[in-house]
Amino acid sequence: MSRRRVALSVAAGVVVLGGAGAFAIAQAGEQPPGLVHSKAYYSAPAGERGGSFIFTTGVTASSGVKSLKVLAWPADSQLGKKEPTAKEMAQVDSATCRPAADGTERCTYATPVTRADAATFPHGTWHIAILATAKNGTTTLDTKAADFKVG
């Protein structure tokens, strides 16, 4: 093979590999948000102290985090038969997200639990469903990101 053909073959290979690399980088930028260290905490009101529900998770998204929606649902409810969808999750409460030192955003959802609330909550296992949306529009739905017990 002549040097000219070798040079053209090498040049073509560089273009193909360069294009593949650019495609891989573009695809990496479009990855859905990642979720790490999801935890739920529930405490019922007792005495003079009010109760609370707190959910925390870490979210990684190369374009940044646009929102994190959070829904707590009893395992023995209708949602147990048909878990929430991304479309349904778009309508629920949002967590507050702040940048963390490790490159993730730490998202927290907290709400008080009154005696009246606690009296109506079904006892047993509850699941936390979350919908993370990145600024580039990609989403991650986790219908059982964490669990907690009531009762």
Side-chain angles (χ1 to χ4, degrees):
M1 197 184 279
S2 73
R3 286 186 187 196
R4 186 175 186 180
R5 282 188 189 173
V6 171
L8 287 174
S9 295
V10 169
V14 167
V15 169
V16 169
L17 290 176
F23 178 76
I25 290 170
Q27 290 300 312
E30 296 296 321
Q31 294 298 313
L35 305 169
V36 294
H37 308 300
S38 297
K39 295 184 181 178
Y41 307 92
Y42 171 78
S43 64
E48 295 298 313
R49 179 186 58 81
S52 65
F53 166 71
I54 300 169
F55 172 78
T56 62
T57 193
V59 182
T60 57
S62 59
S63 65
V65 177
K66 179 179 177 183
S67 67
L68 181 80
K69 301 290 189 162
V70 179
L71 175 68
W73 55 281
D76 292 336
S77 70
Q78 288 290 8
L79 286 175
K81 296 177 182 121
K82 180 186 165 290
E83 295 177 350
T85 65
K87 185 177 179 180
E88 293 165 335
M89 288 295 297
Q91 306 302 314
V92 302
D93 291 338
S94 294
T96 301
C97 299
R98 292 189 168 74
D102 60 0
T104 64
E105 291 202 32
R106 196 88 200 125
C107 299
T108 303
Y109 175 80
T111 189
V113 176
T114 66
R115 288 187 194 291
D117 293 333
T120 62
F121 287 166
H123 287 210
T125 300
W126 284 55
H127 302 298
I128 306 299
I130 56 176
L131 175 66
T133 303
K135 289 181 180 175
N136 67 10
T138 57
T139 61
T140 298
L141 173 65
D142 186 347
T143 58
K144 294 180 182 165
D147 293 335
F148 65 95
K149 297 263 187 205
V150 171

